[in-house]
């Protein structure tokens, strides 16, 4: 999996937790604050001059995706750890959100390359 695919998977998991307040892949915790619109801010996470991953923030939760370890940690605003997901757990959670059937894209013939005269 490429780094951009890993980041996309991490974003998907963050959206799920921020929107649904999930603490387990199939369990929704009613006491956990949620952000129904799942809007969050994303920033690059740099530590000691090195790229470490991404940080996500919403009004009620924060999350950090560690690129090298491919691990996602989600915390409440107060700093309490909600869940820590490794690569396999993120794969399983992201897989649950994929539609069963993807829409078909029409096959279009490639357009010829245009050259300047």
């Amino acid at each position: 999996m490429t780094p951009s695919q890993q980041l996309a998977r991490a974003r998907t998991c963050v959206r799920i937790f921020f929107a649904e307040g999930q603490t387990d892949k199939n369990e929704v915790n009613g006491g956990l604050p949620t952000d129904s619109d799942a809007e969050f801010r994303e920033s690059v996470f740099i530590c000691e001059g090195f790229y470490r991953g991404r940080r996500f923030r919403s009004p009620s939760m924060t999350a950090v995706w560690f690129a090298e370890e491919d691990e996602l940690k989600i915390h409440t605003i107060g700093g309490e750890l909600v869940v820590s997901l490794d690569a396999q757990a993120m794969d399983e959670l992201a897989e649950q959100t994929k539609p069963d059937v993807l829409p078909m894209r029409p096959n279009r013939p490639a357009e010829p390359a245009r050259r300047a005269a």
Side-chain angles (χ1 to χ4, degrees), residues 14-21 33-41 57-61:
V14 166
R15 281 190 186 99
I16 291 168
F17 275 90
F18 284 10
E20 300 175 10
T34 63
D35 295 322
S36 59
D37 55 3
E39 289 187 23
F40 55 85
R41 292 180 299 168
R57 291 187 177 140
S58 75
S60 62
M61 300 176 85

Side-chain angles (χ1 to χ4, degrees), residues 5-69:
Q5 290 171 326
Q6 290 174 331
L7 178 56
R9 181 192 59 203
R11 280 188 190 118
T12 299
C13 293
V14 166
R15 281 190 186 99
I16 291 168
F17 275 90
F18 284 10
E20 300 175 10
Q22 292 189 348
T23 57
D24 191 2
K25 62 182 180 181
N26 293 320
E27 177 184 337
V28 176
N29 182 357
L32 188 64
T34 63
D35 295 322
S36 59
D37 55 3
E39 289 187 23
F40 55 85
R41 292 180 299 168
E42 178 179 341
S43 58
V44 175
F45 179 47
I46 297 175
C47 183
E48 298 178 5
F50 293 99
Y51 174 77
R52 301 293 184 199
R54 299 290 174 122
R55 182 181 301 272
F56 306 92
R57 291 187 177 140
S58 75
S60 62
M61 300 176 85
T62 63
V64 178
W65 172 67
F66 298 94
E68 190 172 325
E69 297 86 3

Side-chain angles (χ1 to χ4, degrees), residues 9-10 13 65 70 72 85-94:
R9 181 192 59 203
C13 293
W65 172 67
D70 197 17
L72 179 67
L85 300 171
D86 61 4
Q88 182 179 0
M90 284 190 286
D91 283 338
E92 291 172 3
L93 184 61

